Amino acid sequence: MGGPGSGKGTQAKLLAEATGLLHISTGDMLRASVAAQTELGQQVQKILESGGLVSDDVMRAVVEQRLCRPDCRSGVLLDGFPRTLRQAEDLDSILKHHPQSRVVVLNIDVAPETLQKRLSGRRSCPQCGRIYNIYFQPSKTGEQCEACGGTTVQRKDDEEGVVRQRLEVYNQLTEPLIAYYRRNELLHTVNGEREIQEIYYEIHGMLHGD
Ligand code: AMP
């Protein structure tokens, strides 16, 4: 867990590489369905562009179907789900079908002002995929990608108004989940305003009990 721009995806990728757990990002799945213009993609495109949340029923179906696939058997890292109390309850009920599973909830804590800058400052190169941030890590060649010369672009949902909406949605609907998981004693919170590697080592150590 963590606000949009907290580094959930970055940490999940690193952990997946190190642990062999499968990284499942609901945001990536939805963006892929929009790109492929599937029925789901057509249904959710406008919601993604506006910074709102896809309905809990749709998300339950998406996640439930994904977790049934055989590549999930040795464990998964869920990134971006659950995002509402209903989704957390749905996940509890889905996990009842997997009684052997052990659940750990990681929360990456980052101040709202930092999240705003990380998201609205993010740019990526459509040619090689390299990510920049105009505030924290600008390209040395301005709007051009340092690596391949492509023109960097901003994700539609990183535009300033949409970022505000995403942060608002996070505060209202997702943040309450922190209390939900704290009550169930499943929650580990890490300070997300440090170097990527430092945060990663802390999470890795936590998962392995050292
Ligand atoms: P993310 O890449 O995790 O920031 O997700 C991008 C967008 O996908 C979000 O702003 C939502 O519109 C949608 N989305 C991803 N995961 C969920 C979820 N669990 N519930 C509802 N909408 C979601």
Side-chain angles (χ1 to χ4, degrees):
M1 293 195 49
S6 61
K8 297 188 297 287
T10 303
Q11 294 295 333
K13 271 191 207 93
L14 291 171
L15 281 170
E17 274 166 28
T19 59
L21 294 169
L22 183 72
H23 175 202
I24 298 181
S25 154
T26 46
D28 284 350
M29 286 173 77
L30 295 170
R31 277 187 290 276
S33 69
V34 170
Q37 284 292 297
T38 62
E39 202 182 317
L40 172 68
Q42 289 173 5
Q43 202 182 329
V44 302
Q45 181 164 10
K46 288 244 150 53
I47 303 173
L48 261 66
E49 284 172 4
S50 71
L53 289 189
V54 174
S55 82
D56 291 333
D57 287 336
V58 168
M59 290 314 300
R60 178 180 178 132
V62 166
V63 171
E64 202 161 21
Q65 278 168 24
R66 186 65 192 86
L67 290 180
C68 284
R69 303 224 312 244
D71 57 352
C72 293
R73 275 198 205 126
S74 344
V76 299
L77 272 161
L78 278 177
D79 160 15
F81 183 93
R83 255 180 157 96
T84 65
L85 214 47
R86 233 299 297 286
Q87 291 181 13
E89 289 163 1
D90 284 344
L91 182 61
D92 287 345
S93 102
I94 294 169
L95 291 176
K96 288 207 177 101
H97 301 293
H98 303 267
Q100 73 289 9
S101 59
R102 164 177 168 245
V103 178
V104 176
V105 182
L106 293 166
N107 177 39
I108 306 182
D109 190 31
V110 176
E113 313 79 69
T114 313
L115 294 178
Q116 171 83 33
K117 278 190 156 175
R118 281 192 189 173
L119 293 170
S120 56
R122 179 161 62 183
R123 301 288 184 275
S124 62
C125 172
Q127 273 174 218
C128 71
R130 188 147 164 187
I131 311 263
Y132 299 93
N133 186 292
I134 58 168
Y135 303 111
F136 304 119
Q137 201 180 19
S139 164
K140 291 194 187 82
T141 45
E143 286 181 12
Q144 255 57 54
C145 173
E146 268 169 40
C148 75
T151 304
T152 58
V153 293
Q154 185 175 39
R155 232 169 80 173
K156 223 179 167 110
D157 62 349
D158 284 343
E159 287 170 13
E160 200 151 338
V162 184
V163 166
R164 256 199 308 277
Q165 167 71 3
R166 288 168 69 196
L167 290 171
E168 181 78 27
V169 165
Y170 173 78
N171 286 335
Q172 285 193 4
L173 298 174
T174 310
E175 233 230 9
L177 287 185
I178 293 174
Y180 177 84
Y181 285 119
R182 192 176 286 133
R183 261 199 313 279
N184 297 337
E185 296 184 9
L186 297 171
L187 188 78
H188 297 270
T189 294
V190 295
N191 171 4
E193 300 207 38
R194 293 173 298 161
E195 290 295 322
I196 290 173
Q197 282 300 329
E198 223 179 300
I199 301 167
Y200 167 71
Y201 287 135
E202 183 177 340
I203 296 175
H204 193 271
M206 202 181 268
L207 288 176
H208 289 82
D210 51 53

